[in-house]
Amino acid sequence: MDLRRSLIQRLLYCIALLLSLSACSNTLQAPDQSDPSQHPEAAYCGSAQKITYAAPVTTVSGNAKFYYRNLDWTSSMCQGLCNNPVSTNIPLAEVHILDAANNIIQCGETDANGNFTNMQIPRSDGSYKVRVLSRSNTSSVRASVLEDIYSATPYSIEAAFAISGGQSTVTGVNLAASARASDSNSKIPGGAFNILANIYWANQFLRAQSGNPTFVADKVTIFWKAGFNPYSYYGSPNALASFYVSNEDRLYILGGKNGDVKNSDTDHFDDSVILHEYGHFLESHYGHSDSQGGSHNGNFIIDPRLAWSEGWANYFQAAVLDTIVYSSSSGIKGSGGYTNYIDTVGFKSDSVEGTGSSAGISIRVSMTEAAATAVYDKPAANEGVFREFSISRTLFKTLKAAIPFSAVWQAFTSLNDVVGTYTPPHKFINFGLFNYKLNTRITDSTQNTNWRAILTEENQKRDTTLYGNTLNAQAPSPSCPTVNMNPVVDAVYGYDRSNQLMSNDFYTYYHDGQSKTLSLIYSTGSGGADIVDLNLYLYANGYYYSEEVQEAQAGFSNSTLLKKSKTINVSSNAQSESVDLTGLPAGYYMINVKSSTYGKTASSFDTATATYYLYSGSLCLVPN
């Protein structure tokens, strides 16, 4: 989930999907970052800040591990976070050595295997300790996992050691971050280090697969606290989810609710959720997203901008986990591969802390199932770009078909190009536009054949013909070419939703800033009980799509809906809708030709068809 830009109109990306894959609120109020109680994060001290001492010195070495709750999704006995915690090494985390007065006397990092070596301190008998912190600022990973927005304190684990008799080496200083609340005064530092490790594994994946072996992503700041719901910062303590806030550039990971980690939804050991949110961070920094959020549950057509953003993040988490974390070659957390998005609740069968009453898997979505029998987002004809899990499956099947991720990454990052002579323009980002970019990067004929077969299976397009197609001005020859629309009844998921494929057409339109009128001319047949009524909307770039049910509410407001013409049609004869563009600045806009479907029944439309064209001045506006 990604909280987007405007505080007034901010909507939520909901891959945490809650327990019912349901909608999120648009009424959140962000915490005031100018509040003096929000302190800045302390300066990092790692290998780049290493202190050099004159001889004699003592060299200190050891190992740091973290415990995590293991995920089981195949056992008939237990599914979810099952059994006692298990451990793995803490990779690339900040390490301090402190003297008896708690002064930092040396800095460094663990290596990929959790080891810290050759950390030299003055050779002086006395008591010391090693501290490992949940952050890294290295050429491999740049991330901080912090306890809360006020203290901005990283988690830490410590181990004491002593120097006596002028020792030149101290070895075997081993540390472990617990996954149990009963072991750690309820802080569960293993959760923080699991989050940090996932960010490292994601960067490993990108270095190995993107074609850039030196890649390291920009620093990400992550807030997480055991038993705490980060939505509480936004005044919604009962909305349990993890999320990314793009205008703050922060990730928030769900730690539970009201101190409970056994029965509540938690995400600190849900690798899918952590990496999904990091996928949004990468999209913000290296790709481009136009999504303004909205509800989604895998069962209905959604805004293609939202579908793309969520579909990418769903895919990215599975790609990292399958290739790095659960792969047979790496085997960090398993060796059987990973092909799902999984969100768990609580934990089970811990010999010390027992079993949560509601523990288990709340959401499991396969990235490899056949589109025709998919549980979520089974796409009908042409629906693929409107369905997030279809997008996720398409990308993951592409990965499994040995189509190089480097091509996917190049297409992904190319979405961030500045609009120039590109056709289609890099506006209104959606999966059709991404596939248009990817099409030129899959040059092997066998790979291209495989990719196109996947697109066909998932009812995907390699262009923007179904969403955001560019309108070109041309003289009538002798009349304007027409487009047909066969609208369908609204779907009801919490509220009435117009079908954005069948009952809407969306066009990218470049307005040159001159005074002019934009018009829609249409006629309808008599195939349904009601005559089709088309309306004309003009949205700003970065728009929020409005449903008719929302427009009917008292006090409705949408500042991105710039112009609207909604004349009620009572005839099958030629009808028109027009909006005046005078005063609008030059730039890209979204034209939405929208059938009035609110309150209509299926029999209202039956086989009804509307035929329309768009024009401005003496010129037709024709889809590219």
Side-chain angles (χ1 to χ4, degrees):
M1 171 192 329
D2 178 3
L3 301 189
R4 285 281 148 172
R5 302 169 179 85
S6 168
L7 293 181
I8 297 173
Q9 295 177 306
R10 176 174 289 155
L11 301 175
L12 310 183
Y13 281 122
C14 308
I15 187 53
L17 302 177
L18 309 181
L19 293 182
S20 60
L21 295 161
S22 64
C24 293
S25 166
N26 66 346
T27 59
L28 300 184
Q29 295 298 315
D32 181 5
Q33 293 192 55
S34 64
D35 182 347
S37 65
Q38 292 194 44
H39 297 290
E41 181 183 352
Y44 184 83
C45 193
S47 296
Q49 293 78 34
K50 177 182 176 181
I51 304 169
T52 301
Y53 293 103
V57 295
T58 297
T59 300
V60 181
S61 63
N63 176 268
K65 298 182 181 295
F66 71 92
Y67 280 84
Y68 63 92
R69 294 196 177 276
N70 194 44
L71 172 63
D72 194 329
W73 65 91
T74 60
S75 172
S76 60
M77 301 296 294
C78 180
Q79 291 195 11
L81 300 180
C82 296
N83 304 315
N84 291 335
V86 294
S87 69
T88 192
N89 297 312
I90 297 176
L92 279 294
E94 182 180 13
V95 180
H96 297 167
I97 297 180
L98 298 89
D99 63 18
N102 280 328
N103 297 309
I104 298 173
I105 59 174
Q106 191 55 276
C107 301
E109 286 98 14
T110 61
D111 63 16
N113 296 312
N115 297 316
F116 51 92
T117 58
N118 198 35
M119 295 189 69
Q120 296 183 343
I121 61 175
R123 188 179 301 176
S124 177
D125 289 358
S127 299
Y128 301 87
K129 57 188 172 186
V130 172
R131 176 181 293 163
V132 179
L133 296 89
S134 60
R135 59 183 187 172
S136 180
N137 187 18
T138 68
S139 59
S140 296
V141 59
R142 296 168 182 162
S144 293
V145 183
L146 307 178
E147 187 166 340
D148 57 56
I149 64 174
Y150 305 108
S151 66
T153 303
Y155 290 82
S156 63
I157 52 174
E158 296 180 351
F161 68 94
I163 297 176
S164 61
Q167 290 172 266
S168 60
T169 59
V170 174
T171 61
V173 183
N174 298 324
L175 306 86
S178 176
R180 287 178 172 146
S182 56
D183 291 341
S184 56
N185 295 320
S186 299
K187 283 199 169 186
I188 314 180
F193 286 101
N194 185 65
I195 295 168
L196 180 63
N198 269 276
I199 307 305
Y200 167 70
W201 295 327
N203 278 265
Q204 268 194 304
F205 172 82
L206 290 168
R207 279 188 289 276
Q209 302 290 327
S210 70
N212 181 359
T214 63
F215 177 86
V216 58
D218 296 338
K219 182 190 174 182
V220 60
T221 300
I222 306 161
F223 292 98
W224 166 81
K225 181 186 291 185
F228 179 74
N229 175 19
Y231 263 134
S232 299
Y233 294 132
Y234 294 83
S236 297
N238 295 318
L240 299 180
S242 298
F243 51 94
Y244 168 60
V245 183
S246 59
N247 63 337
E248 297 178 10
D249 213 20
R250 293 172 167 180
L251 265 63
Y252 293 85
I253 301 299
L254 176 63
K257 182 181 179 182
N258 297 330
D260 176 41
V261 297
K262 183 184 294 185
N263 302 290
S264 296
D265 186 7
T266 64
D267 291 336
H268 41 275
F269 295 127
D270 284 345
D271 300 331
S272 283
V273 178
I274 297 164
L275 289 168
H276 174 99
E277 301 309 333
Y278 192 56
H280 283 315
F281 171 85
L282 294 172
E283 180 186 24
S284 178
H285 281 245
Y286 300 98
H288 182 78
S289 174
D290 281 332
S291 178
Q292 301 302 304
S295 60
H296 54 109
N297 71 2
N299 279 325
F300 55 84
I301 285 173
I302 60 175
D303 187 320
R305 300 169 301 164
L306 172 62
W308 156 248
S309 185
E310 294 301 325
W312 158 263
N314 296 339
Y315 153 73
F316 181 75
Q317 62 82 28
V320 174
L321 295 175
D322 183 64
T323 307
I324 300 292
V325 184
Y326 289 89
S327 71
S328 57
S329 59
S330 299
I332 297 169
K333 287 192 173 183
S335 59
Y338 191 94
T339 60
N340 302 284
Y341 173 88
I342 295 178
D343 190 5
T344 69
V345 174
F347 57 83
K348 294 182 177 183
S349 304
D350 186 298
S351 63
V352 174
E353 296 184 333
T355 295
S357 59
S358 58
I361 293 176
S362 60
I363 303 166
R364 178 183 172 189
V365 183
S366 171
M367 299 291 110
T368 57
E369 62 186 345
T373 57
V375 176
Y376 296 107
D377 279 334
K378 179 169 63 178
N382 295 322
E383 287 185 353
V385 298
F386 296 84
R387 292 189 174 275
E388 67 167 290
F389 284 115
S390 177
I391 292 170
S392 305
R393 290 192 301 267
T394 301
L395 289 168
F396 194 77
K397 290 172 184 176
T398 295
L399 179 71
K400 302 302 282 186
I403 295 168
F405 177 81
S406 58
V408 172
W409 183 251
Q410 289 166 16
F412 175 76
T413 56
S414 76
L415 295 173
N416 203 29
D417 291 342
V418 176
V419 174
T421 58
Y422 301 102
T423 303
H426 298 208
K427 295 291 185 181
F428 310 110
I429 306 299
N430 67 92
F431 197 46
L433 178 59
F434 170 85
N435 285 332
Y436 176 86
K437 301 290 186 181
L438 183 58
N439 186 52
T440 63
R441 292 169 169 84
I442 303 178
T443 56
D444 179 87
S445 59
T446 300
Q447 292 176 357
N448 197 279
T449 298
N450 293 340
W451 178 57
R452 295 190 183 206
I454 295 168
L455 294 179
T456 299
E457 178 196 346
E458 290 286 352
N459 284 299
Q460 298 290 351
K461 290 286 187 179
R462 290 184 292 120
D463 53 45
T464 59
T465 54
L466 296 179
Y467 176 80
N469 208 6
T470 304
L471 291 174
N472 294 317
Q474 65 181 50
S477 180
S479 59
C480 294
T482 59
V483 178
N484 292 333
M485 181 185 290
N486 300 96
V488 297
V489 67
D490 287 356
V492 180
Y493 294 96
Y495 58 87
D496 286 5
R497 299 171 184 273
S498 175
N499 187 303
Q500 292 198 38
L501 169 64
M502 299 299 295
S503 303
N504 296 261
D505 286 331
F506 298 91
Y507 300 107
T508 298
Y509 174 65
Y510 183 77
H511 172 50
D512 60 11
Q514 302 298 311
S515 296
K516 63 183 67 176
T517 298
L518 177 67
S519 298
L520 164 71
I521 305 297
Y522 71 98
S523 61
T524 67
S526 56
D530 289 341
I531 295 170
V532 176
D533 181 13
L534 296 188
N535 300 303
L536 179 62
Y537 292 70
L538 184 74
Y539 284 105
N541 185 27
Y543 71 92
Y544 297 87
Y545 176 78
S546 292
E547 298 285 2
E548 287 183 277
V549 66
Q550 296 169 319
E551 294 180 61
Q553 296 172 354
F556 166 77
S557 176
N558 182 350
S559 62
T560 66
L561 179 52
L562 304 178
K563 301 285 182 176
K564 177 172 66 174
S565 180
K566 290 187 67 175
T567 304
I568 297 176
N569 181 16
V570 295
S571 169
S572 61
N573 298 322
Q575 303 289 316
S576 66
E577 306 282 356
S578 296
V579 295
D580 184 2
L581 305 185
T582 300
L584 287 181
Y588 283 92
Y589 296 85
M590 175 63 79
I591 292 176
N592 176 203
V593 177
K594 183 175 186 177
S595 175
S596 181
T597 55
Y598 178 48
K600 305 291 180 66
T601 64
S603 61
S604 299
F605 297 109
D606 194 15
T607 59
T609 298
T611 300
Y612 72 86
Y613 64 90
L614 294 159
Y615 77 92
S616 181
S618 61
L619 297 177
C620 307
L621 298 177
V622 182
N624 183 34

